[in-house]
Amino acid sequence: MILRKTLIFAGFVLLLGCGGQGTDQPGADVNPFFVDYDTPFNVQPFDRIDEADFVPAFEEGMARQNAEIAAIVDNPEPATFDNTIAALDRSGELLGEVSRVFFALSGSNTNDELQEIQKQISPRLAAHRDEIEMNPRLFERIKAVSDERESLDLNAEQLFLLEYLYENAVRNGALLDNEDQARLKEINQRLSELRVEFSANLLAETNAFKLVIEDEADLAGLPDAVIETAAATAERDGLENAWVFTTHKPSMLPFLTYAEDRDLREQLYTAYTVRGNQNNENNNKAVIAEIVNLRVEKAKLLGYESFAHYTLEPRMAGTPDKVYDLLDQLWAASLPVAKREVAEMQAIIDGEGGGFELAPWDWWYYAEKVRKAKYDLDDNELRPYFELNNVRDGVFYVANQLYGLTFEELEDMPKPHPDAQVFEVFEADGSHAAVIYMDYHPRESKRGGAWCGRFRSQNRADGVEVDPVINLVCNFTTPSEDRPALLSLDEVETLFHEFGHALDGMLSNVTYRTGVRSPDFGELPSQIMEHWAMNPEVLKVYARHYETGEPIPDELIAKIENSNTFNQGFNQVEYLAASLLDMEYHTLSEPAELDINAFEETYLDEIGLIPEIIPRYRTTYFSHITGGYAAGYYGYIWSGVLDHDAFAAFEETSLFDQETANRFRTEILEVSGSKDYMDMWVAFRGREPEIEPLLRNLGLH
Ligand SMILES: [Zn+2]
C-alpha cells in the first residue's frame, strides 16, 4: 500500500485524453485528503495515500478546526445548542479523518517514516486538543447553554451530548487558572510523547528476539503444523534448514504448549516477559514511571485524589472502590483454583520423575497434559475444524441470525494492507449497512494483540447519514505452504470478540459524532459474542473440517463443553494480577520515585500471586495502560459480569431469540456512546447487573 502507482497512472491517462496539453499533471501532487475520494462507499483511498501526505493533512485539519472554533466563539448571537454544542460536535471533520487513517496504519502497518511522523505529530495534536478544551470563550458559551438546559426543550441525546461536553471541558482543565492550565498543557504534551515512545520500544523489542532452531531434535513434541509455520518464518527471514519462533503469541504459545525442551521454553517465554525491561535503548521502565507520575500530578491539578479517581468518574464503575470490590472478590475466588491447578501439574511432573518445580514457562505444557488426561481434548484435534474462513463465516452466521445482516466480499477495493479482506454489510431489507476490513495475521509492521477500530463512525451530524467503515485487526496463526490458517480455540473466540466490537460500530444509530467510550461497558458487545462462538448449535454450523467439510463431531463438542472451566484459575489469576497492578499504579496519590521492578514485585507479593504465574502483562509491555485502558484493564471483567448476565437473557429464552436480540440491538448497540451506561443496561435487562452468571460459568464458586 501507500503506492502512488494508481494515481500517476490515472494522471497519465488523463494527459493522453486531453491531447497532452499543459505540464500540470492533475492529481499527481494533490493530497488525497483534500479532494473527493471518488472511491466505492467513499472509503479512504489507501492506495493513493503517501506518508508525505499526513503532516500537511494534519496541519490543514487543525487549521480548519481552529477556524471552526473561532467562528463559534466569535458568533455575535447568544449561545444556543445548535450554534455552540452541535457546531463543536461537527468541528474537526478533516482532522478526524486523517487521524483515523494515520493511527490505524501506525498500529497495523507501520514503518520508520510513520513512526517518525507519529513522534512529531502526537504532542502537536495534544496541544491542539488542549487549546480547544481550555478555550475560555468556548467554555463560556458551553456553560451558557448548559445553564439553560432545562428550558431548551432538548431531546435525551442532545441533553447527554451537552452534559458530556460541559463535563469534558471541566475535566480537561477549563476551570483552572492560567498557571495551572499552562502546566496541564505541558503534562499532556509530554504524556503524548511518552506513549509513542512506549509503543515504539515495545514493537522494537518484540521484533528483536528470535528463537532460531537448527537441530531438528529441539522440535520434539511440536505438531507438524507448528513446525511448518516455523519453517516458513525462517524462510521469510532468509534462513535455510532452520525453524524460527518469535514472541508473537501465535508463534510463542504453541511452542510453550508442546515443546518438550524445557530450556528452550524458558528462553522463549523469558524473552517475552523481559520486553522493555532490558536496560537497552528500548527500555520502558523510565517511560512508564514518568507516565504514572505525570498522571498523578494531572489528577491532583484537577482536584482528584488519584488518576484512577479522575479517569473512573465518567465510567460505569465510577470509583476505584467499586473496581476493587469486584476485583478482590474474583481474586479471592480464583487464587485457590490456580493453586489446585499447580498441584495437579506438579503431580504430573513428579510422576514423570521430573525432579523440578513447575515454573511459569512450564504452565502451558503441563496444562495441555492435564487437558488431555482429564478431558481427552487436544488442541491439534480441534484446529482442523477452525479454518479461518470457516470461522469468519460462523461469525457472519451469528450476526445474521441475531440481526439479519448479510455479507458480501468486495474485490478491487482500496485496502489499508494488501492482506486485508473487505466486505459490504447489508441490513435484512437489503440496504447498505457498513463496510468492514478484516486483517488477520502477524507481521513486523503490526503491533501485537487484536483490536477493532473505525475508519469512519456512523453519524448524521450534518443532516446526512454517514455509514460506518470498520477495521478489524488480529494476529492469528498464519497459513503455511501445505495448509490454510487453522485457528486455536482462543483465536476463534478472539475473532468473535472483535467482531462484537465491529457490530457495535456497524449498528450504531446516533446523531452526533462525539461518542463516549468506556472499557467497562465497551467490552460487553464484544464479549457477549464469545458465548455464541462456543455454542454447540453454532459450532455445528461453522466448525467444519477444512479437508472433508465434515461438521465437528458431537464427541469433540462435548469435550469442549466439559473443558469450559479448564485452566480458569490460571486465566483469571493471570488477568486479575495485571488488572490489580494497573489499579495499584493509578491509585497512587502522590508522585513517587518508582523503581518499576521493585514496585511490581512488592505489590504482587502483597496480593499473594503465586510464583508459577506471571501477570498477563508486566509493566514494561502493558500497552493497555499507556493508552485508553489506564485504570481500565479491569473493564474486561466488569464487562464480563455484564456479558454473562446479558447472555443469560438468551438462555432464558432461546439462542437467537428475536425479541431479546432486537432489544440488545436497540438499547445497547444502536445507542452506544450517546447514553448513560446503567440506563442502557437497565433498558435492556430490566434490572441492574448480577454477578451470579459469571461465577457460575467460570466455575468460581
Ligand atoms: Zn475487546
Side-chain angles (χ1 to χ4, degrees), residues 450 497-498 501 522-523 526-527 629 636:
H497 175 110
E498 295 309 330
H501 286 304
E523 296 298 333
S526 50
Q527 291 181 171
Y629 277 47
Y636 293 94

Side-chain angles (χ1 to χ4, degrees), residues 211 255 259-270 361-362:
L211 176 65
F255 192 86
E260 285 170 13
D261 192 315
R262 191 167 183 245
D263 291 338
L264 292 177
R265 290 202 307 266
E266 178 177 358
Q267 262 184 51
L268 184 58
Y269 190 55
T270 304
W361 47 87
D362 297 320

Side-chain angles (χ1 to χ4, degrees), residues 446-460:
K446 195 193 268 191
R447 69 179 164 90
W451 62 95
C452 183
R454 300 173 184 190
F455 282 123
R456 199 165 294 130
S457 289
Q458 177 277 336
N459 71 85
R460 55 185 87 91

Side-chain angles (χ1 to χ4, degrees), residues 175-403:
L175 294 176
L176 298 182
D177 64 27
N178 288 345
E179 198 184 316
D180 284 350
Q181 281 193 345
R183 179 59 191 150
L184 183 57
K185 287 174 188 174
E186 277 173 18
I187 293 175
N188 287 342
Q189 289 200 38
R190 183 66 188 142
L191 280 172
S192 71
E193 288 166 5
L194 290 166
R195 273 197 296 270
V196 176
E197 208 178 314
F198 187 94
S199 47
N201 286 344
L202 180 53
L203 190 67
E205 289 272 277
T206 305
N207 289 333
F209 180 86
K210 289 180 202 300
L211 176 65
V212 181
I213 292 181
E214 286 168 323
D215 182 353
E216 211 169 339
D218 291 343
L219 300 169
L222 295 173
D224 290 347
V226 173
I227 295 174
E228 283 166 20
T229 307
T233 309
E235 213 179 289
R236 252 201 313 280
D237 289 350
L239 297 169
E240 275 176 40
N241 301 320
W243 297 267
V244 167
F245 293 88
T246 69
T247 55
H248 289 106
K249 282 192 171 167
S251 177
M252 177 179 77
L253 292 182
F255 192 86
L256 294 179
T257 307
Y258 299 109
E260 285 170 13
D261 192 315
R262 191 167 183 245
D263 291 338
L264 292 177
R265 290 202 307 266
E266 178 177 358
Q267 262 184 51
L268 184 58
Y269 190 55
T270 304
Y272 175 79
T273 57
V274 300
R275 289 175 303 155
N277 194 5
Q278 304 192 83
N279 302 321
N280 57 15
E281 70 279 12
N282 300 319
N283 185 6
N284 264 340
K285 281 177 291 202
V287 180
I288 192 74
E290 193 180 347
I291 288 177
V292 169
N293 279 327
L294 286 172
R295 283 174 174 164
V296 186
E297 191 188 342
K298 176 173 173 170
K300 291 276 179 187
L301 210 54
L302 290 161
Y304 292 84
E305 205 177 315
S306 73
F307 188 74
H309 286 85
Y310 166 70
T311 199
L312 285 164
E313 188 185 57
R315 294 190 190 153
M316 191 170 180
T319 64
D321 283 351
K322 286 266 175 59
V323 173
Y324 278 118
D325 271 355
L326 177 65
L327 295 183
D328 290 347
Q329 190 180 342
L330 291 167
W331 182 255
S334 308
L335 202 54
V337 182
K339 287 178 181 168
R340 282 204 296 276
E341 290 167 1
V342 171
E344 271 182 291
M345 292 188 281
Q346 191 63 52
I348 296 180
I349 294 171
D350 296 345
E352 293 174 345
F356 59 87
E357 284 188 13
L358 183 86
W361 47 87
D362 297 320
W363 195 291
W364 287 264
Y365 183 75
Y366 287 97
E368 186 60 19
K369 290 197 171 202
V370 172
R371 180 154 81 157
K372 267 187 202 161
K374 241 175 130 173
Y375 307 103
D376 192 27
L377 184 65
D378 176 354
D379 194 46
N380 291 308
E381 229 184 314
L382 292 176
R383 281 187 191 249
Y385 293 96
F386 295 134
E387 192 271 316
L388 174 63
N389 291 306
N390 287 345
V391 177
R392 178 206 64 203
D393 289 344
V395 171
F396 289 171
Y397 168 79
V398 170
N400 176 267
Q401 294 297 301
L402 289 170
Y403 310 118

Side-chain angles (χ1 to χ4, degrees), residues 444-495:
E444 293 200 348
S445 63
K446 195 193 268 191
R447 69 179 164 90
W451 62 95
C452 183
R454 300 173 184 190
F455 282 123
R456 199 165 294 130
S457 289
Q458 177 277 336
N459 71 85
R460 55 185 87 91
D462 289 321
V464 205
E465 188 70 30
V466 174
D467 294 319
V469 179
I470 306 292
N471 184 32
L472 193 155
V473 186
C474 307
N475 278 283
F476 289 154
T477 302
T478 42
S480 67
E481 224 165 84
D482 302 323
R483 63 188 91 201
L486 303 177
L487 305 188
S488 68
L489 264 185
D490 262 1
E491 290 172 336
V492 171
E493 283 182 343
T494 300
L495 187 57

